Amino acid sequence: MNNNVGPVMRQGELAQAVIEAAEIDNPDKVITVEDKVAYIRIQTTDEMLIKRQTIEEMLGRPFSMSEIEIDLSSFAGRIDTQVEYIRFYHAKHL
């Protein structure tokens, strides 16, 4: 058991933007990326916040957080999706 949280995404432009956004938006965290060819697991411990604005900067275009659902295969932890961010977290630490 662990306290890892984060998205599991299909390979592609959005997954790469989410990786970069995760690193920028969580500067005090170590972000681990596991490339499984068909999908990418992006994770850290306890909590990860990814901002819409950061994803837009990485993609170079406007972005709606609902777009992430298309490439989000799975996730670890709990998820809180808002207009301006998506947050992966644990309600209780293991």
Side-chain angles (χ1 to χ4, degrees):
M1 300 189 77
N2 60 48
N3 287 322
N4 289 340
V5 297
V8 177
M9 303 189 65
R10 291 190 307 176
Q11 282 278 11
E13 177 186 35
L14 181 55
Q16 294 304 314
V18 169
I19 291 167
E20 293 176 39
E23 292 170 347
I24 291 167
D25 293 338
N26 302 276
D28 58 331
K29 298 274 191 173
V30 174
I31 305 297
T32 304
V33 178
E34 294 179 30
D35 187 342
K36 302 291 188 175
V37 182
Y39 67 91
I40 295 177
R41 180 179 305 275
I42 307 159
Q43 58 188 3
T44 193
T45 56
D46 300 322
E47 181 179 31
M48 179 187 296
L49 184 72
I50 301 170
K51 298 176 185 173
R52 179 192 55 78
Q53 182 179 6
T54 309
I55 294 174
E56 283 184 341
E57 291 170 9
M58 297 304 103
L59 291 173
R61 66 170 174 83
F63 176 78
S64 170
M65 289 310 287
S66 62
E67 291 179 57
I68 209 164
E69 296 171 8
I70 296 167
D71 288 350
L72 185 67
S73 304
S74 185
F75 59 90
R78 293 185 176 214
I79 189 170
D80 176 19
T81 305
Q82 302 292 323
V83 173
E84 295 298 321
Y85 66 85
I86 189 167
R87 177 179 166 237
F88 301 92
Y89 67 100
H90 278 290
K92 180 192 277 188
H93 294 278
L94 303 174

